[in-house]
Amino acid sequence: PPPPPGLNYIEAIRPALTFLILVTVWSAILVPILVALFFFSTRELRRKPIFICNVFSILLGLSMGICTLYAEVLQHYMAPSTAARLTVAWLDFFIPFFVESILVIRILAVYPYRRTPRVVFLSIFIPLGILKIARLVNIIVFTVNYARVTAGDVDIMAASQRAWRSYPGQKIEWFLQLVDNTAASALFLWRLNKGRHIAERCLMHSVFSYRSKGTYISKIEGLFWIAVSNFVFPVILCLVQLVFIFRDPTFIIASCIFLTNDYVEIIGVLLATVWTAGS
């Protein structure tokens, strides 16, 4: 027999409940991070593009949480509008694209245009630019296909499952995401590691005190390990996503990992890039 009016079976709402818990917890984490970012920043830092981009990425994460909550709750009472579905789908894929684009600013901090040979500069940023364009085109194509496949469907979960199977946009995006994130982080880490060794050799012959040497080198060491940690975790999650999308016929688990990775990247890139706004 059907449950009383206004209620539903537990199994029917379990997938939506999983998404609700995820976006609620991660969105709640972003709120104190946003407050702390403004509280501990200076007026000069707030004017820098890297600070503005990180604030915008946090706001995008909060928007995705709100839109996901709206779509998941609304579907148990009425069909979400096409605009609501497209907004959730677009944010899910656009947020990693935008957040990882912030890494380009981080690379510019260690490969400045005026002090980097032209050949080296072009060989770094042209491939990265091509990757960004390919990802953006794939996101647009996926969103259009998602709108076509899910048009008129009352159940957002069933519609998402059909979109999952009808177009390999997720596989393409997550593969390009893995390549993009790996390339951008590897370039930054290689340059930073090289600068770390150069700083150690230069400071050994400088007139700075021993304490100044240790402080300066420790800052570079700290930045290096922050960048390493915030490169490793998103890449691991991206690899897990690819494993699930090829082996799991449903989209629930991989989508949960994908949502988690979105928020991990927002937090990780913020920690790894705001430091480069200094001298």
Side-chain angles (χ1 to χ4, degrees):
L7 300 178
N8 210 331
Y9 289 115
I10 295 298
E11 287 303 317
I13 66 173
R14 192 182 300 277
L17 185 62
T18 303
F19 286 113
L20 287 174
I21 293 172
L22 271 178
V23 298
T24 301
V25 171
W26 283 114
S27 299
I29 291 173
L30 290 183
V31 174
I33 289 177
L34 181 62
V35 174
L37 185 61
F38 277 96
F39 183 78
F40 291 105
S41 61
T42 61
R43 181 176 298 178
E44 181 183 359
L45 178 60
R46 295 188 196 112
R47 296 174 181 172
K48 292 182 179 291
I50 203 164
F51 180 88
I52 297 171
C53 288
N54 275 298
V55 170
F56 189 62
S57 69
I58 292 177
L59 295 178
L60 282 176
L62 292 172
S63 300
M64 182 175 68
I66 293 169
C67 291
T68 303
L69 288 169
Y70 171 79
E72 295 294 344
V73 172
L74 188 65
Q75 70 164 331
H76 296 289
Y77 299 95
M78 64 183 74
S81 64
T82 303
R85 293 182 181 185
L86 288 179
T87 301
V88 173
W90 172 260
L91 285 173
D92 283 348
F93 283 87
F94 180 74
I95 285 176
F97 170 80
F98 177 80
V99 171
E100 287 161 12
S101 296
I102 301 175
L103 297 178
V104 176
I105 303 177
R106 183 176 72 170
I107 297 174
L108 279 170
V110 293
Y111 292 95
Y113 177 75
R114 294 183 179 180
R115 289 186 290 166
T116 305
R118 186 65 57 84
V119 175
V120 175
F121 188 87
L122 294 177
S123 63
I124 290 173
F125 288 97
I126 288 179
L128 289 178
I130 293 173
L131 273 172
K132 300 296 183 188
I133 293 172
R135 290 183 64 183
L136 185 59
V137 170
N138 180 64
I139 291 170
I140 294 172
V141 173
F142 170 79
T143 307
V144 172
N145 181 76
Y146 183 85
R148 178 182 59 82
V149 172
T150 61
D153 202 313
V154 177
D155 190 347
I156 192 173
M157 289 294 175
S160 299
Q161 181 69 50
R162 286 202 308 276
W164 179 270
R165 296 174 178 174
S166 64
Y167 175 69
Q170 295 95 336
K171 296 177 182 179
I172 297 171
E173 163 61 18
W174 293 346
F175 177 76
L176 292 176
Q177 179 185 0
L178 179 63
V179 174
D180 190 7
N181 200 2
T182 301
S185 296
L187 285 166
F188 180 76
L189 290 171
W190 181 83
R191 183 73 166 179
L192 196 63
N193 190 48
K194 183 179 178 181
R196 184 176 56 161
H197 296 307
I198 291 174
E200 289 177 356
R201 291 198 300 269
C202 291
L203 289 174
M204 289 300 294
H205 302 286
S206 69
V207 295
F208 294 155
S209 65
Y210 178 79
R211 185 174 182 180
S212 298
K213 296 175 187 176
T215 302
Y216 186 80
I217 295 175
S218 65
K219 287 182 178 180
I220 299 179
E221 289 277 354
L223 176 57
F224 177 79
W225 290 114
I226 287 171
V228 168
S229 63
N230 291 288
F231 156 67
V232 169
F233 291 113
V235 168
I236 291 175
L237 288 172
C238 196
L239 285 171
V240 174
Q241 290 172 186
L242 286 171
V243 170
F244 272 100
I245 199 171
F246 280 102
R247 297 184 61 88
D248 189 12
T250 64
F251 77 103
I252 300 295
I253 299 178
S255 295
C256 291
I257 298 170
F258 182 42
L259 273 174
T260 301
N261 198 16
D262 281 0
Y263 287 100
V264 167
E265 285 202 345
I266 290 172
I267 298 170
V269 170
L270 185 149
L271 294 174
T273 56
V274 128
W275 295 90
T276 63
S279 59

